[in-house]
Amino acid sequence: MVDLTALMNQPQRDQALIAEAGISLDQALFRLLVGIERFGPIGVVELSNRAGRDYTTVSRQVAKLESLGLIERRPSPADRRIHEAVITDEGRQMTDALDAARQRLAAPILARWSEEDLSDLVRLMRRFADDLMAQSSGADRT
């Protein structure tokens, strides 16, 4: 897991993904945009926790994403004091381009894998992620 995390967090991987997607977006912003697309609507506190970044930094970056028209902020229906970030159509086009680029970059690596191996990878990674989330939320304390 340490090797995988180290590889996936290399700045040049982000640069390659952005270039392959053919988009123009700062590396620090694209990860937040993807997080908003995946987990939104989402407040800045939750987004900063998920990103492992300082709240004030994330707040500034979310404001930048909003100024670029990639997200919009609106009051939370559950708590009007919280403004949630929601992806716009333009932002979704960008995350779709990133998803397609990610698949193109992974294709040569996974081309030699059997369907069974790919299925096992997806199933086990989903299980691992779900178990980690349950443990961190306190839902899986035994």
Side-chain angles (χ1 to χ4, degrees):
M1 285 304 297
V2 172
D3 289 345
L4 181 60
T5 301
L7 284 168
M8 297 308 290
N9 285 328
Q10 292 176 340
Q12 59 269 34
R13 284 203 172 278
D14 291 348
Q15 293 166 353
L17 180 60
I18 290 168
E20 179 67 26
I23 62 171
S24 176
L25 189 65
D26 182 87
Q27 286 178 246
L29 298 178
F30 105 86
R31 287 184 180 214
L32 293 177
L33 180 65
V34 169
I36 292 166
E37 190 268 330
R38 299 293 191 268
F39 306 113
I42 188 169
V44 173
V45 171
E46 183 180 353
L47 183 61
S48 63
N49 287 339
R50 285 183 177 271
R53 296 188 192 164
D54 177 68
Y55 167 84
T56 56
T57 301
V58 171
S59 181
R60 282 192 305 272
Q61 291 169 331
V62 166
K64 178 69 174 174
L65 288 170
E66 184 176 35
S67 74
L68 294 171
L70 301 175
I71 62 120
E72 57 186 37
R73 289 189 284 186
R74 64 178 188 214
S76 167
D79 185 344
R80 292 284 195 200
R81 296 171 297 170
I82 297 173
H83 280 78
E84 298 175 326
V86 181
I87 196 157
T88 62
D89 289 340
E90 186 177 347
R92 188 166 311 282
Q93 289 173 4
M94 196 169 280
T95 59
D96 288 348
L98 288 163
D99 289 343
R102 195 175 286 109
Q103 288 179 354
R104 287 190 302 274
L105 291 171
I109 297 165
L110 300 174
R112 296 183 308 264
W113 290 38
S114 70
E115 288 297 320
E116 183 180 358
D117 286 345
L118 288 171
S119 178
D120 287 347
L121 175 67
V122 169
R123 178 181 56 79
L124 292 170
M125 290 300 291
R126 177 75 270 154
R127 179 179 173 188
F128 185 65
D130 290 346
D131 287 351
L132 276 176
M133 286 189 294
Q135 182 183 38
S136 66
S137 70
D140 191 36
R141 304 221 190 250
T142 53

